[in-house]
PDB file of all heavy atoms in Angstrom:
ATOM      1  N   LYS A   1      -1.168   6.024  12.504  1.00 93.00           N
ATOM      2  CA  LYS A   1      -1.876   5.300  13.562  1.00 93.00           C
ATOM      3  C   LYS A   1      -3.042   4.512  12.978  1.00 93.00           C
ATOM      4  O   LYS A   1      -3.331   4.585  11.789  1.00 93.00           O
ATOM      5  CB  LYS A   1      -2.374   6.278  14.630  1.00 93.00           C
ATOM      6  CG  LYS A   1      -3.281   7.370  14.111  1.00 93.00           C
ATOM      7  CD  LYS A   1      -3.584   8.386  15.193  1.00 93.00           C
ATOM      8  CE  LYS A   1      -4.556   9.452  14.691  1.00 93.00           C
ATOM      9  NZ  LYS A   1      -4.074  10.181  13.503  1.00 93.00           N
ATOM     10  N   LYS A   2      -3.691   3.757  13.843  1.00 94.00           N
ATOM     11  CA  LYS A   2      -4.815   2.922  13.429  1.00 94.00           C
ATOM     12  C   LYS A   2      -5.871   3.762  12.705  1.00 94.00           C
ATOM     13  O   LYS A   2      -6.255   4.832  13.171  1.00 94.00           O
ATOM     14  CB  LYS A   2      -5.441   2.259  14.656  1.00 94.00           C
ATOM     15  CG  LYS A   2      -6.499   1.221  14.345  1.00 94.00           C
ATOM     16  CD  LYS A   2      -6.910   0.489  15.618  1.00 94.00           C
ATOM     17  CE  LYS A   2      -7.905  -0.622  15.315  1.00 94.00           C
ATOM     18  NZ  LYS A   2      -8.248  -1.395  16.520  1.00 94.00           N
ATOM     19  N   GLY A   3      -6.307   3.270  11.567  1.00 96.00           N
ATOM     20  CA  GLY A   3      -7.334   3.954  10.794  1.00 96.00           C
ATOM     21  C   GLY A   3      -6.808   4.907   9.751  1.00 96.00           C
ATOM     22  O   GLY A   3      -7.565   5.339   8.867  1.00 96.00           O
ATOM     23  N   ASP A   4      -5.504   5.237   9.798  1.00 97.00           N
ATOM     24  CA  ASP A   4      -4.926   6.118   8.779  1.00 97.00           C
ATOM     25  C   ASP A   4      -4.799   5.355   7.463  1.00 97.00           C
ATOM     26  O   ASP A   4      -4.623   4.132   7.440  1.00 97.00           O
ATOM     27  CB  ASP A   4      -3.552   6.624   9.212  1.00 97.00           C
ATOM     28  CG  ASP A   4      -3.645   7.689  10.287  1.00 97.00           C
ATOM     29  OD1 ASP A   4      -4.771   8.183  10.539  1.00 97.00           O
ATOM     30  OD2 ASP A   4      -2.602   8.024  10.886  1.00 97.00           O
ATOM     31  N   ARG A   5      -4.857   6.094   6.362  1.00 98.00           N
ATOM     32  CA  ARG A   5      -4.729   5.495   5.041  1.00 98.00           C
ATOM     33  C   ARG A   5      -3.310   5.683   4.516  1.00 98.00           C
ATOM     34  O   ARG A   5      -2.766   6.790   4.600  1.00 98.00           O
ATOM     35  CB  ARG A   5      -5.714   6.123   4.039  1.00 98.00           C
ATOM     36  CG  ARG A   5      -7.161   5.687   4.202  1.00 98.00           C
ATOM     37  CD  ARG A   5      -7.866   6.343   5.343  1.00 98.00           C
ATOM     38  NE  ARG A   5      -7.801   7.799   5.270  1.00 98.00           N
ATOM     39  CZ  ARG A   5      -7.880   8.600   6.319  1.00 98.00           C
ATOM     40  NH1 ARG A   5      -8.018   8.101   7.548  1.00 98.00           N
ATOM     41  NH2 ARG A   5      -7.813   9.918   6.170  1.00 98.00           N
ATOM     42  N   VAL A   6      -2.724   4.615   3.980  1.00 98.00           N
ATOM     43  CA  VAL A   6      -1.404   4.680   3.353  1.00 98.00           C
ATOM     44  C   VAL A   6      -1.559   4.174   1.922  1.00 98.00           C
ATOM     45  O   VAL A   6      -2.066   3.074   1.699  1.00 98.00           O
ATOM     46  CB  VAL A   6      -0.363   3.836   4.114  1.00 98.00           C
ATOM     47  CG1 VAL A   6       0.991   3.914   3.422  1.00 98.00           C
ATOM     48  CG2 VAL A   6      -0.250   4.309   5.560  1.00 98.00           C
ATOM     49  N   ALA A   7      -1.119   4.989   0.957  1.00 98.00           N
ATOM     50  CA  ALA A   7      -1.297   4.642  -0.452  1.00 98.00           C
ATOM     51  C   ALA A   7      -0.069   3.928  -1.000  1.00 98.00           C
ATOM     52  O   ALA A   7       1.069   4.258  -0.643  1.00 98.00           O
ATOM     53  CB  ALA A   7      -1.577   5.907  -1.264  1.00 98.00           C
ATOM     54  N   LEU A   8      -0.299   2.957  -1.880  1.00 98.00           N
ATOM     55  CA  LEU A   8       0.770   2.221  -2.559  1.00 98.00           C
ATOM     56  C   LEU A   8       0.702   2.514  -4.044  1.00 98.00           C
ATOM     57  O   LEU A   8      -0.374   2.436  -4.655  1.00 98.00           O
ATOM     58  CB  LEU A   8       0.632   0.711  -2.345  1.00 98.00           C
ATOM     59  CG  LEU A   8       0.457   0.198  -0.914  1.00 98.00           C
ATOM     60  CD1 LEU A   8       0.527  -1.316  -0.909  1.00 98.00           C
ATOM     61  CD2 LEU A   8       1.486   0.791   0.000  1.00 98.00           C
ATOM     62  N   PHE A   9       1.853   2.837  -4.623  1.00 98.00           N
ATOM     63  CA  PHE A   9       1.929   3.184  -6.047  1.00 98.00           C
ATOM     64  C   PHE A   9       3.083   2.390  -6.646  1.00 98.00           C
ATOM     65  O   PHE A   9       4.120   2.923  -6.984  1.00 98.00           O
ATOM     66  CB  PHE A   9       2.153   4.702  -6.177  1.00 98.00           C
ATOM     67  CG  PHE A   9       2.033   5.262  -7.570  1.00 98.00           C
ATOM     68  CD1 PHE A   9       1.103   4.786  -8.476  1.00 98.00           C
ATOM     69  CD2 PHE A   9       2.853   6.316  -7.964  1.00 98.00           C
ATOM     70  CE1 PHE A   9       0.986   5.329  -9.751  1.00 98.00           C
ATOM     71  CE2 PHE A   9       2.748   6.877  -9.231  1.00 98.00           C
ATOM     72  CZ  PHE A   9       1.811   6.379 -10.131  1.00 98.00           C
ATOM     73  N   LEU A  10       2.886   1.075  -6.737  1.00 97.00           N
ATOM     74  CA  LEU A  10       3.937   0.200  -7.231  1.00 97.00           C
ATOM     75  C   LEU A  10       3.347  -1.107  -7.752  1.00 97.00           C
ATOM     76  O   LEU A  10       2.214  -1.461  -7.428  1.00 97.00           O
ATOM     77  CB  LEU A  10       4.981  -0.073  -6.164  1.00 97.00           C
ATOM     78  CG  LEU A  10       4.634  -0.887  -4.918  1.00 97.00           C
ATOM     79  CD1 LEU A  10       5.918  -1.404  -4.267  1.00 97.00           C
ATOM     80  CD2 LEU A  10       3.861  -0.077  -3.902  1.00 97.00           C
ATOM     81  N   SER A  11       4.157  -1.789  -8.549  1.00 97.00           N
ATOM     82  CA  SER A  11       3.745  -3.055  -9.167  1.00 97.00           C
ATOM     83  C   SER A  11       4.239  -4.240  -8.345  1.00 97.00           C
ATOM     84  O   SER A  11       4.823  -4.076  -7.271  1.00 97.00           O
ATOM     85  CB  SER A  11       4.304  -3.138 -10.595  1.00 97.00           C
ATOM     86  OG  SER A  11       3.720  -2.163 -11.429  1.00 97.00           O
ATOM     87  N   ASN A  12       4.024  -5.439  -8.896  1.00 98.00           N
ATOM     88  CA  ASN A  12       4.408  -6.677  -8.222  1.00 98.00           C
ATOM     89  C   ASN A  12       5.879  -6.665  -7.821  1.00 98.00           C
ATOM     90  O   ASN A  12       6.760  -6.416  -8.656  1.00 98.00           O
ATOM     91  CB  ASN A  12       4.153  -7.874  -9.133  1.00 98.00           C
ATOM     92  CG  ASN A  12       2.686  -8.145  -9.359  1.00 98.00           C
ATOM     93  OD1 ASN A  12       1.834  -7.359  -8.950  1.00 98.00           O
ATOM     94  ND2 ASN A  12       2.382  -9.252 -10.008  1.00 98.00           N
ATOM     95  N   SER A  13       6.132  -6.964  -6.557  1.00 98.00           N
ATOM     96  CA  SER A  13       7.486  -6.984  -6.022  1.00 98.00           C
ATOM     97  C   SER A  13       7.409  -7.506  -4.591  1.00 98.00           C
ATOM     98  O   SER A  13       6.348  -7.443  -3.963  1.00 98.00           O
ATOM     99  CB  SER A  13       8.094  -5.577  -6.030  1.00 98.00           C
ATOM    100  OG  SER A  13       7.257  -4.668  -5.337  1.00 98.00           O
ATOM    101  N   PRO A  14       8.531  -7.993  -4.033  1.00 98.00           N
ATOM    102  CA  PRO A  14       8.521  -8.357  -2.616  1.00 98.00           C
ATOM    103  C   PRO A  14       8.151  -7.170  -1.732  1.00 98.00           C
ATOM    104  O   PRO A  14       7.525  -7.329  -0.687  1.00 98.00           O
ATOM    105  CB  PRO A  14       9.967  -8.810  -2.362  1.00 98.00           C
ATOM    106  CG  PRO A  14      10.469  -9.250  -3.693  1.00 98.00           C
ATOM    107  CD  PRO A  14       9.810  -8.338  -4.687  1.00 98.00           C
ATOM    108  N   GLN A  15       8.540  -5.960  -2.166  1.00 98.00           N
ATOM    109  CA  GLN A  15       8.228  -4.761  -1.390  1.00 98.00           C
ATOM    110  C   GLN A  15       6.723  -4.591  -1.217  1.00 98.00           C
ATOM    111  O   GLN A  15       6.274  -4.052  -0.194  1.00 98.00           O
ATOM    112  CB  GLN A  15       8.808  -3.524  -2.064  1.00 98.00           C
ATOM    113  CG  GLN A  15      10.328  -3.513  -2.159  1.00 98.00           C
ATOM    114  CD  GLN A  15      10.854  -4.052  -3.468  1.00 98.00           C
ATOM    115  OE1 GLN A  15      10.470  -5.146  -3.891  1.00 98.00           O
ATOM    116  NE2 GLN A  15      11.721  -3.298  -4.119  1.00 98.00           N
ATOM    117  N   TYR A  16       5.945  -5.021  -2.214  1.00 98.00           N
ATOM    118  CA  TYR A  16       4.486  -4.897  -2.095  1.00 98.00           C
ATOM    119  C   TYR A  16       3.992  -5.707  -0.899  1.00 98.00           C
ATOM    120  O   TYR A  16       3.185  -5.232  -0.095  1.00 98.00           O
ATOM    121  CB  TYR A  16       3.800  -5.351  -3.388  1.00 98.00           C
ATOM    122  CG  TYR A  16       2.409  -4.796  -3.545  1.00 98.00           C
ATOM    123  CD1 TYR A  16       2.151  -3.788  -4.453  1.00 98.00           C
ATOM    124  CD2 TYR A  16       1.351  -5.254  -2.761  1.00 98.00           C
ATOM    125  CE1 TYR A  16       0.874  -3.244  -4.586  1.00 98.00           C
ATOM    126  CE2 TYR A  16       0.083  -4.726  -2.873  1.00 98.00           C
ATOM    127  CZ  TYR A  16      -0.151  -3.729  -3.796  1.00 98.00           C
ATOM    128  OH  TYR A  16      -1.416  -3.189  -3.906  1.00 98.00           O
ATOM    129  N   PHE A  17       4.463  -6.939  -0.793  1.00 98.00           N
ATOM    130  CA  PHE A  17       4.096  -7.785   0.360  1.00 98.00           C
ATOM    131  C   PHE A  17       4.515  -7.109   1.670  1.00 98.00           C
ATOM    132  O   PHE A  17       3.752  -7.067   2.640  1.00 98.00           O
ATOM    133  CB  PHE A  17       4.793  -9.148   0.263  1.00 98.00           C
ATOM    134  CG  PHE A  17       4.116 -10.152  -0.619  1.00 98.00           C
ATOM    135  CD1 PHE A  17       4.065  -9.991  -1.995  1.00 98.00           C
ATOM    136  CD2 PHE A  17       3.550 -11.292  -0.082  1.00 98.00           C
ATOM    137  CE1 PHE A  17       3.469 -10.931  -2.808  1.00 98.00           C
ATOM    138  CE2 PHE A  17       2.940 -12.251  -0.886  1.00 98.00           C
ATOM    139  CZ  PHE A  17       2.893 -12.062  -2.260  1.00 98.00           C
ATOM    140  N   ILE A  18       5.737  -6.611   1.704  1.00 98.00           N
ATOM    141  CA  ILE A  18       6.290  -6.055   2.941  1.00 98.00           C
ATOM    142  C   ILE A  18       5.476  -4.864   3.421  1.00 98.00           C
ATOM    143  O   ILE A  18       5.070  -4.798   4.587  1.00 98.00           O
ATOM    144  CB  ILE A  18       7.764  -5.649   2.720  1.00 98.00           C
ATOM    145  CG1 ILE A  18       8.630  -6.892   2.504  1.00 98.00           C
ATOM    146  CG2 ILE A  18       8.288  -4.836   3.912  1.00 98.00           C
ATOM    147  CD1 ILE A  18      10.012  -6.599   1.934  1.00 98.00           C
ATOM    148  N   VAL A  19       5.227  -3.912   2.523  1.00 98.00           N
ATOM    149  CA  VAL A  19       4.526  -2.702   2.968  1.00 98.00           C
ATOM    150  C   VAL A  19       3.045  -2.981   3.215  1.00 98.00           C
ATOM    151  O   VAL A  19       2.444  -2.399   4.123  1.00 98.00           O
ATOM    152  CB  VAL A  19       4.728  -1.536   1.969  1.00 98.00           C
ATOM    153  CG1 VAL A  19       6.210  -1.203   1.862  1.00 98.00           C
ATOM    154  CG2 VAL A  19       4.152  -1.820   0.599  1.00 98.00           C
ATOM    155  N   HIS A  20       2.443  -3.871   2.428  1.00 98.00           N
ATOM    156  CA  HIS A  20       1.036  -4.230   2.612  1.00 98.00           C
ATOM    157  C   HIS A  20       0.810  -4.745   4.040  1.00 98.00           C
ATOM    158  O   HIS A  20      -0.065  -4.250   4.759  1.00 98.00           O
ATOM    159  CB  HIS A  20       0.630  -5.284   1.585  1.00 98.00           C
ATOM    160  CG  HIS A  20      -0.768  -5.793   1.719  1.00 98.00           C
ATOM    161  ND1 HIS A  20      -1.799  -5.340   0.936  1.00 98.00           N
ATOM    162  CD2 HIS A  20      -1.317  -6.729   2.541  1.00 98.00           C
ATOM    163  CE1 HIS A  20      -2.916  -5.958   1.272  1.00 98.00           C
ATOM    164  NE2 HIS A  20      -2.652  -6.813   2.245  1.00 98.00           N
ATOM    165  N   PHE A  21       1.614  -5.725   4.449  1.00 97.00           N
ATOM    166  CA  PHE A  21       1.420  -6.301   5.778  1.00 97.00           C
ATOM    167  C   PHE A  21       1.932  -5.370   6.875  1.00 97.00           C
ATOM    168  O   PHE A  21       1.393  -5.355   7.985  1.00 97.00           O
ATOM    169  CB  PHE A  21       2.063  -7.680   5.863  1.00 97.00           C
ATOM    170  CG  PHE A  21       1.258  -8.738   5.166  1.00 97.00           C
ATOM    171  CD1 PHE A  21       1.708  -9.327   4.004  1.00 97.00           C
ATOM    172  CD2 PHE A  21       0.022  -9.125   5.672  1.00 97.00           C
ATOM    173  CE1 PHE A  21       0.950 -10.295   3.344  1.00 97.00           C
ATOM    174  CE2 PHE A  21      -0.743 -10.091   5.026  1.00 97.00           C
ATOM    175  CZ  PHE A  21      -0.284 -10.666   3.860  1.00 97.00           C
ATOM    176  N   GLY A  22       2.966  -4.581   6.589  1.00 96.00           N
ATOM    177  CA  GLY A  22       3.440  -3.632   7.575  1.00 96.00           C
ATOM    178  C   GLY A  22       2.380  -2.601   7.920  1.00 96.00           C
ATOM    179  O   GLY A  22       2.153  -2.275   9.090  1.00 96.00           O
ATOM    180  N   ILE A  23       1.711  -2.086   6.914  1.00 96.00           N
ATOM    181  CA  ILE A  23       0.632  -1.116   7.119  1.00 96.00           C
ATOM    182  C   ILE A  23      -0.479  -1.742   7.949  1.00 96.00           C
ATOM    183  O   ILE A  23      -0.961  -1.158   8.930  1.00 96.00           O
ATOM    184  CB  ILE A  23       0.082  -0.632   5.762  1.00 96.00           C
ATOM    185  CG1 ILE A  23       1.134   0.187   5.011  1.00 96.00           C
ATOM    186  CG2 ILE A  23      -1.197   0.205   5.947  1.00 96.00           C
ATOM    187  CD1 ILE A  23       0.827   0.363   3.533  1.00 96.00           C
ATOM    188  N   GLN A  24      -0.880  -2.943   7.580  1.00 97.00           N
ATOM    189  CA  GLN A  24      -1.991  -3.586   8.271  1.00 97.00           C
ATOM    190  C   GLN A  24      -1.627  -4.005   9.692  1.00 97.00           C
ATOM    191  O   GLN A  24      -2.480  -3.982  10.588  1.00 97.00           O
ATOM    192  CB  GLN A  24      -2.483  -4.782   7.458  1.00 97.00           C
ATOM    193  CG  GLN A  24      -3.164  -4.377   6.157  1.00 97.00           C
ATOM    194  CD  GLN A  24      -3.815  -5.537   5.437  1.00 97.00           C
ATOM    195  OE1 GLN A  24      -3.540  -6.701   5.718  1.00 97.00           O
ATOM    196  NE2 GLN A  24      -4.700  -5.215   4.501  1.00 97.00           N
ATOM    197  N   LYS A  25      -0.375  -4.368   9.940  1.00 94.00           N
ATOM    198  CA  LYS A  25       0.032  -4.718  11.304  1.00 94.00           C
ATOM    199  C   LYS A  25      -0.143  -3.545  12.257  1.00 94.00           C
ATOM    200  O   LYS A  25      -0.389  -3.732  13.450  1.00 94.00           O
ATOM    201  CB  LYS A  25       1.491  -5.183  11.320  1.00 94.00           C
ATOM    202  CG  LYS A  25       1.705  -6.602  10.804  1.00 94.00           C
ATOM    203  CD  LYS A  25       3.179  -6.965  10.855  1.00 94.00           C
ATOM    204  CE  LYS A  25       3.400  -8.426  10.478  1.00 94.00           C
ATOM    205  NZ  LYS A  25       4.810  -8.826  10.585  1.00 94.00           N
ATOM    206  N   LEU A  26       0.001  -2.354  11.736  1.00 93.00           N
ATOM    207  CA  LEU A  26      -0.128  -1.152  12.551  1.00 93.00           C
ATOM    208  C   LEU A  26      -1.589  -0.761  12.763  1.00 93.00           C
ATOM    209  O   LEU A  26      -1.888   0.133  13.551  1.00 93.00           O
ATOM    210  CB  LEU A  26       0.627  -0.008  11.869  1.00 93.00           C
ATOM    211  CG  LEU A  26       0.915   1.244  12.669  1.00 93.00           C
ATOM    212  CD1 LEU A  26       1.754   0.941  13.896  1.00 93.00           C
ATOM    213  CD2 LEU A  26       1.614   2.285  11.795  1.00 93.00           C
ATOM    214  N   GLY A  27      -2.498  -1.456  12.066  1.00 95.00           N
ATOM    215  CA  GLY A  27      -3.907  -1.100  12.145  1.00 95.00           C
ATOM    216  C   GLY A  27      -4.291  -0.022  11.153  1.00 95.00           C
ATOM    217  O   GLY A  27      -5.417   0.482  11.173  1.00 95.00           O
ATOM    218  N   ALA A  28      -3.358   0.357  10.285  1.00 96.00           N
ATOM    219  CA  ALA A  28      -3.653   1.342   9.233  1.00 96.00           C
ATOM    220  C   ALA A  28      -4.268   0.630   8.036  1.00 96.00           C
ATOM    221  O   ALA A  28      -4.419  -0.595   8.015  1.00 96.00           O
ATOM    222  CB  ALA A  28      -2.392   2.100   8.850  1.00 96.00           C
ATOM    223  N   ILE A  29      -4.633   1.405   7.010  1.00 98.00           N
ATOM    224  CA  ILE A  29      -5.411   0.896   5.883  1.00 98.00           C
ATOM    225  C   ILE A  29      -4.598   1.011   4.600  1.00 98.00           C
ATOM    226  O   ILE A  29      -4.101   2.088   4.265  1.00 98.00           O
ATOM    227  CB  ILE A  29      -6.729   1.675   5.742  1.00 98.00           C
ATOM    228  CG1 ILE A  29      -7.550   1.565   7.033  1.00 98.00           C
ATOM    229  CG2 ILE A  29      -7.536   1.185   4.547  1.00 98.00           C
ATOM    230  CD1 ILE A  29      -8.700   2.568   7.112  1.00 98.00           C
ATOM    231  N   VAL A  30      -4.470  -0.090   3.874  1.00 98.00           N
ATOM    232  CA  VAL A  30      -3.776  -0.128   2.587  1.00 98.00           C
ATOM    233  C   VAL A  30      -4.712   0.378   1.495  1.00 98.00           C
ATOM    234  O   VAL A  30      -5.869  -0.044   1.410  1.00 98.00           O
ATOM    235  CB  VAL A  30      -3.337  -1.566   2.246  1.00 98.00           C
ATOM    236  CG1 VAL A  30      -2.747  -1.635   0.842  1.00 98.00           C
ATOM    237  CG2 VAL A  30      -2.355  -2.096   3.280  1.00 98.00           C
ATOM    238  N   SER A  31      -4.203   1.272   0.640  1.00 98.00           N
ATOM    239  CA  SER A  31      -4.988   1.700  -0.525  1.00 98.00           C
ATOM    240  C   SER A  31      -4.103   1.670  -1.769  1.00 98.00           C
ATOM    241  O   SER A  31      -3.248   2.540  -1.955  1.00 98.00           O
ATOM    242  CB  SER A  31      -5.569   3.096  -0.329  1.00 98.00           C
ATOM    243  OG  SER A  31      -6.436   3.418  -1.409  1.00 98.00           O
ATOM    244  N   PRO A  32      -4.275   0.667  -2.636  1.00 98.00           N
ATOM    245  CA  PRO A  32      -3.452   0.564  -3.833  1.00 98.00           C
ATOM    246  C   PRO A  32      -3.861   1.586  -4.892  1.00 98.00           C
ATOM    247  O   PRO A  32      -5.045   1.843  -5.108  1.00 98.00           O
ATOM    248  CB  PRO A  32      -3.730  -0.858  -4.340  1.00 98.00           C
ATOM    249  CG  PRO A  32      -4.534  -1.528  -3.284  1.00 98.00           C
ATOM    250  CD  PRO A  32      -5.210  -0.454  -2.505  1.00 98.00           C
ATOM    251  N   CYS A  33      -2.860   2.158  -5.559  1.00 96.00           N
ATOM    252  CA  CYS A  33      -3.068   3.015  -6.726  1.00 96.00           C
ATOM    253  C   CYS A  33      -2.472   2.299  -7.931  1.00 96.00           C
ATOM    254  O   CYS A  33      -1.373   1.745  -7.850  1.00 96.00           O
ATOM    255  CB  CYS A  33      -2.373   4.360  -6.548  1.00 96.00           C
ATOM    256  SG  CYS A  33      -2.861   5.297  -5.083  1.00 96.00           S
ATOM    257  N   SER A  34      -3.156   2.327  -9.043  1.00 93.00           N
ATOM    258  CA  SER A  34      -2.650   1.650 -10.235  1.00 93.00           C
ATOM    259  C   SER A  34      -1.353   2.291 -10.708  1.00 93.00           C
ATOM    260  O   SER A  34      -1.287   3.515 -10.864  1.00 93.00           O
ATOM    261  CB  SER A  34      -3.687   1.717 -11.364  1.00 93.00           C
ATOM    262  OG  SER A  34      -3.103   1.331 -12.595  1.00 93.00           O
ATOM    263  N   PRO A  35      -0.300   1.501 -10.959  1.00 94.00           N
ATOM    264  CA  PRO A  35       0.939   2.061 -11.512  1.00 94.00           C
ATOM    265  C   PRO A  35       0.755   2.666 -12.900  1.00 94.00           C
ATOM    266  O   PRO A  35       1.647   3.361 -13.383  1.00 94.00           O
ATOM    267  CB  PRO A  35       1.874   0.839 -11.574  1.00 94.00           C
ATOM    268  CG  PRO A  35       1.314  -0.123 -10.594  1.00 94.00           C
ATOM    269  CD  PRO A  35      -0.166   0.075 -10.638  1.00 94.00           C
ATOM    270  N   ALA A  36      -0.397   2.410 -13.528  1.00 90.00           N
ATOM    271  CA  ALA A  36      -0.688   3.028 -14.825  1.00 90.00           C
ATOM    272  C   ALA A  36      -1.221   4.452 -14.677  1.00 90.00           C
ATOM    273  O   ALA A  36      -1.387   5.159 -15.669  1.00 90.00           O
ATOM    274  CB  ALA A  36      -1.707   2.178 -15.584  1.00 90.00           C
ATOM    275  N   PHE A  37      -1.486   4.871 -13.442  1.00 92.00           N
ATOM    276  CA  PHE A  37      -2.036   6.208 -13.220  1.00 92.00           C
ATOM    277  C   PHE A  37      -1.128   7.299 -13.780  1.00 92.00           C
ATOM    278  O   PHE A  37       0.095   7.258 -13.633  1.00 92.00           O
ATOM    279  CB  PHE A  37      -2.202   6.477 -11.722  1.00 92.00           C
ATOM    280  CG  PHE A  37      -3.497   5.981 -11.129  1.00 92.00           C
ATOM    281  CD1 PHE A  37      -3.742   6.147  -9.773  1.00 92.00           C
ATOM    282  CD2 PHE A  37      -4.459   5.363 -11.895  1.00 92.00           C
ATOM    283  CE1 PHE A  37      -4.914   5.705  -9.193  1.00 92.00           C
ATOM    284  CE2 PHE A  37      -5.638   4.902 -11.329  1.00 92.00           C
ATOM    285  CZ  PHE A  37      -5.867   5.081  -9.976  1.00 92.00           C
ATOM    286  N   LYS A  38      -1.765   8.316 -14.382  1.00 92.00           N
ATOM    287  CA  LYS A  38      -1.099   9.570 -14.684  1.00 92.00           C
ATOM    288  C   LYS A  38      -1.409  10.536 -13.538  1.00 92.00           C
ATOM    289  O   LYS A  38      -2.102  10.197 -12.587  1.00 92.00           O
ATOM    290  CB  LYS A  38      -1.582  10.102 -16.027  1.00 92.00           C
ATOM    291  CG  LYS A  38      -1.298   9.176 -17.207  1.00 92.00           C
ATOM    292  CD  LYS A  38       0.187   8.942 -17.393  1.00 92.00           C
ATOM    293  CE  LYS A  38       0.517   8.253 -18.714  1.00 92.00           C
ATOM    294  NZ  LYS A  38       0.053   6.875 -18.815  1.00 92.00           N
ATOM    295  N   GLU A  39      -0.896  11.758 -13.652  1.00 95.00           N
ATOM    296  CA  GLU A  39      -0.937  12.640 -12.482  1.00 95.00           C
ATOM    297  C   GLU A  39      -2.343  12.968 -11.992  1.00 95.00           C
ATOM    298  O   GLU A  39      -2.589  13.022 -10.777  1.00 95.00           O
ATOM    299  CB  GLU A  39      -0.152  13.938 -12.747  1.00 95.00           C
ATOM    300  CG  GLU A  39      -0.564  14.713 -13.957  1.00 95.00           C
ATOM    301  CD  GLU A  39       0.318  14.428 -15.163  1.00 95.00           C
ATOM    302  OE1 GLU A  39       0.823  13.297 -15.284  1.00 95.00           O
ATOM    303  OE2 GLU A  39       0.483  15.344 -15.992  1.00 95.00           O
TER     304      GLU A  39
END
């Protein structure tokens, strides 16, 4: 729901655009994680 955080763990791709705007359309918050991250 609005205000919830959704994390992204992926690199450049059409999917990045899709999920970025999908999350924001719902009023939720996009939070990118670097694909270089270790555990």
